[in-house]
Amino acid sequence: MNLTLDVWRQRHAGDQGRIVRYQAGGISPDMSFLEMLDVVNEGLILGGDEPIAFDHDCREGICGMCGFMINGIAHGPERATTVCQLHMRHFRDGDSLTIEPWRAGAFPVVRDLIVDRSAFDRIIAAGGFISASTGSAPEANNIAVPKQDADSAMDAAACIGCGACVAACPNASAMLFTAAKVVHLGVLPQGQPERKGRVKAMVETMDGLGFGHCTNIGECAAVCPKEIGMDTIAFLNRDLARSAVLTGNGRA
Amino acid sequence: MREDRAVTAATRSPPASGPAAPVLLPGTSVARKQLVAITGVVGVLYVLVHMLGNLHAFQGPRQLNHYGEYLRTIGEPLLPRSMLLWIARIVLLTAVTIHIGLTAQLALRSRAARPVRYVHPGVVQASYASRTMRWGGLALLGFIVFHLMDLSWGVHPHFVRGDVYHNAVTGFRRWPVTAVYLAAMAALGLHLYHGTWSVFQTLGVNRPRWDRAIHRGALTLALIVGLGFSTVPVAVLVHLVK
């Protein structure tokens, strides 16, 4: 396969950045998108150029490190897929692809396609945890969790924090990410004592970091590689409304 | 002891480092959106009642003008004349001001949230209605001013105060006026479709098992209001109402 790539190149955070065109030749349809970029980078290195910088780690779709825009779609055209698990067979020979980093004020570009997502860590630090004494692991059946709740908690906990939701949102909102964390802890018995304080602190932090607000457009859920749904955002909205009406810090 | 630790950990939040946006009303972006939703509900109820009232036009001049007069006399003699009408106007004006003011503020924040735009923008599934809420809403604001000038304040070549039927018929006879009204009703339908579903989502009422029904209900409401309003100008234009 031969492809034309328009890739965002930016040397460092302060650099202006620009789109540079590359020809990718001899690409196997069985390669992943990142392997295709590896091939392009080998050519660049041999030619004495700087390789295209992109984040990656596990390359099996579970770590949340990789991700960029391909023709305006976060993680590319396949649903529920990270770019590392996106294979070149989904593209056609001769395709022209524009590759850009996530765009959000809260996600400054570090270099080329790499953005700094520590804003997500700050949202987590504001309440995305349970303050319980850590000791040896407790007996699993000490706290009974209804199957349905365990399932919804697990679905929300599937969020890998890749940032595609922010990138796809026209408002660069982090609502889907924040909501996934709020639901993940909010439906479990262990999450109840801090439930109201958590949602308030996390949303306030999200706002403070300069993310936009949610306009219920649904682009976030459509590109989420872990298929986190818009229902998590409704859950967050409900918990926040209750936390405003009821006092105290616990069960919303 | 354990409880105390839990409380401090959850309420602690790092210093906010984002841009200091002007604050119209205090609260998180979510709480402000919820106010936009509640004021939107006021608007939805109003347009529904307004649309149903307009249908009196099909009963003829006497009925429609009588309905117009009735709106001023509701509550008499307990309430002074036009009292309820003025209360409704004040509630509406307040709701619309909050609705637009908060939305403008949130929209400016969102604009600032993406300082560098995409070279190649893309849309995966977002509906036309959901993507045109802001511009469509502004267009509706412009239409509301035009509509008030046209049929309430009497900036209208054949305006006769109190003769609602006459004003409507002579107005809608001119096709450019009818075209403006029909375009505005299309915009209203789109705004109501995404807006009504959004109310349920933003207030946290929506559940996965109700989602489809709420979408359908919002579409039905948007069609009923949009088409219901459109019947009167179209009927006048094709001389069904004269």
Side-chain angles (χ1 to χ4, degrees):
Chain A
M1 290 175 77
N2 295 299
L3 301 153
T4 305
L5 307 178
D6 284 326
V7 186
W8 183 261
R9 300 303 308 262
Q10 184 173 341
R11 275 191 289 273
H12 51 83
D15 183 20
Q16 181 87 66
R18 73 232 148 263
I19 292 279
V20 179
R21 178 159 293 185
Y22 299 99
Q23 298 298 332
I27 301 298
S28 156
D30 295 328
M31 285 178 180
S32 75
F33 205 91
L34 297 189
E35 284 164 344
M36 182 274 289
L37 285 182
D38 289 338
V39 170
V40 173
N41 277 345
E42 277 170 16
L44 287 176
I45 292 166
L46 286 176
D49 288 326
E50 281 289 325
I52 301 161
F54 57 88
D55 254 335
H56 64 103
D57 192 6
C58 74
R59 297 214 179 192
E60 51 188 30
I62 55 171
C63 75
M65 278 306 282
C66 69
F68 41 74
M69 307 297 280
I70 304 171
N71 281 353
I73 300 174
H75 287 301
E78 281 290 295
R79 285 220 163 189
T81 308
T82 53
V83 279
C84 66
Q85 284 295 300
L86 173 66
H87 288 86
M88 297 314 294
R89 66 182 81 100
H90 298 298
F91 297 92
R92 265 175 299 185
D93 188 32
D95 269 359
S96 213
L97 306 175
T98 304
I99 304 172
E100 296 173 81
W102 296 161
R103 292 290 188 202
F107 285 172
V109 173
V110 176
R111 187 189 176 106
D112 295 342
L113 305 175
I114 299 177
V115 297
D116 178 359
R117 286 168 291 187
S118 37
F120 271 5
D121 298 336
R122 285 188 211 118
I123 295 176
I124 295 285
F129 53 84
I130 285 164
S131 340
S133 351
T134 53
S136 51
E139 154 61 32
N141 293 324
N142 271 357
I143 303 172
V145 181
K147 172 79 168 104
Q148 254 188 334
D149 293 350
D151 284 349
S152 17
M154 191 61 210
D155 285 348
C159 168
I160 52 178
C162 65
C165 45
V166 174
C169 177
N171 308 307
S173 171
M175 279 287 274
L176 194 69
F177 169 79
T178 309
K181 305 304 168 191
V182 165
V183 172
H184 156 206
L185 300 170
V187 294
L188 292 175
Q190 293 92 330
Q192 299 312 313
E194 294 159 292
R195 187 166 166 185
K196 275 190 288 184
R198 170 181 306 118
V199 66
K200 253 192 278 194
M202 290 182 82
V203 170
E204 277 166 12
T205 305
M206 178 190 82
D207 285 346
L209 289 163
F211 290 104
H213 71 295
C214 174
T215 47
N216 305 326
I217 277 171
E219 290 289 285
C220 52
V223 299
C224 177
K226 297 298 149 189
E227 302 187 287
I228 310 287
M230 292 283 285
D231 53 314
T232 57
I233 296 181
F235 184 102
L236 179 152
N237 291 336
R238 181 157 65 243
D239 263 17
L240 195 91
R242 284 184 189 160
S243 77
V245 176
L246 310 169
T247 52
N249 222 28
R251 190 178 288 271
Chain B
M1 178 59 203
R2 189 177 168 274
E3 190 68 13
D4 287 348
R5 270 216 323 268
V7 168
T8 48
T11 46
R12 168 189 72 199
S13 71
S17 57
V23 175
L24 182 65
L25 287 165
T28 57
S29 63
V30 176
R32 280 182 252 168
K33 252 161 52 68
Q34 288 174 337
L35 262 178
V36 172
I38 292 165
T39 50
V41 170
V42 173
V44 169
L45 294 176
Y46 171 73
V47 290
L48 199 60
V49 172
H50 186 349
M51 185 276 288
L52 291 172
N54 284 9
L55 298 181
H56 283 291
F58 290 102
Q59 295 176 310
R62 221 170 54 83
Q63 293 288 336
L64 184 68
N65 290 348
H66 180 259
Y67 174 70
E69 178 58 22
Y70 160 75
L71 289 180
R72 295 172 196 279
T73 57
I74 301 177
E76 278 187 351
L78 267 171
L79 297 173
R81 182 180 159 81
S82 295
M83 176 78 156
L84 212 68
L85 198 64
W86 274 106
I87 291 173
R89 282 170 178 163
I90 289 163
V91 169
L92 271 175
L93 195 64
T94 312
V96 167
T97 308
I98 294 174
H99 193 76
I100 296 174
L102 286 179
T103 304
Q105 187 190 34
L106 288 167
L108 287 175
R109 270 189 57 104
S110 285
R111 187 174 277 252
R114 175 159 296 138
V116 181
R117 303 194 166 269
Y118 287 112
V119 174
H120 190 307
V123 174
V124 181
Q125 52 77 51
S127 67
Y128 183 73
S130 73
R131 289 183 291 123
T132 52
M133 287 301 275
R134 290 171 192 158
W135 289 113
L138 270 182
L140 284 173
L141 177 66
F143 167 74
I144 291 169
V145 173
F146 167 79
H147 175 51
L148 286 174
M149 284 168 64
D150 184 30
L151 290 176
S152 296
W153 304 335
V155 189
H156 179 308
H158 312 286
F159 194 77
V160 179
R161 187 155 298 279
D163 194 348
V164 185
Y165 190 89
H166 167 84
N167 295 338
V169 169
T170 51
F172 294 142
R173 252 316 105 79
R174 295 166 296 161
W175 71 264
V177 172
T178 302
V180 168
Y181 274 85
L182 293 183
M185 288 313 106
L188 178 64
L190 287 170
H191 202 79
L192 282 184
Y193 171 54
H194 185 68
T196 306
W197 177 78
S198 282
V199 164
F200 289 90
Q201 176 75 6
T202 301
L203 296 180
V205 180
N206 197 8
R207 297 288 195 284
R209 62 182 179 281
W210 299 338
D211 192 62
R212 271 172 72 93
I214 294 174
H215 262 293
R216 283 205 193 126
L219 181 63
T220 311
L221 179 88
L223 285 174
I224 288 176
V225 172
L227 293 176
F229 271 128
S230 302
T231 51
V232 178
V234 169
V236 170
L237 202 65
V238 300
H239 292 257
L240 269 172
V241 168
K242 14 188 141 172

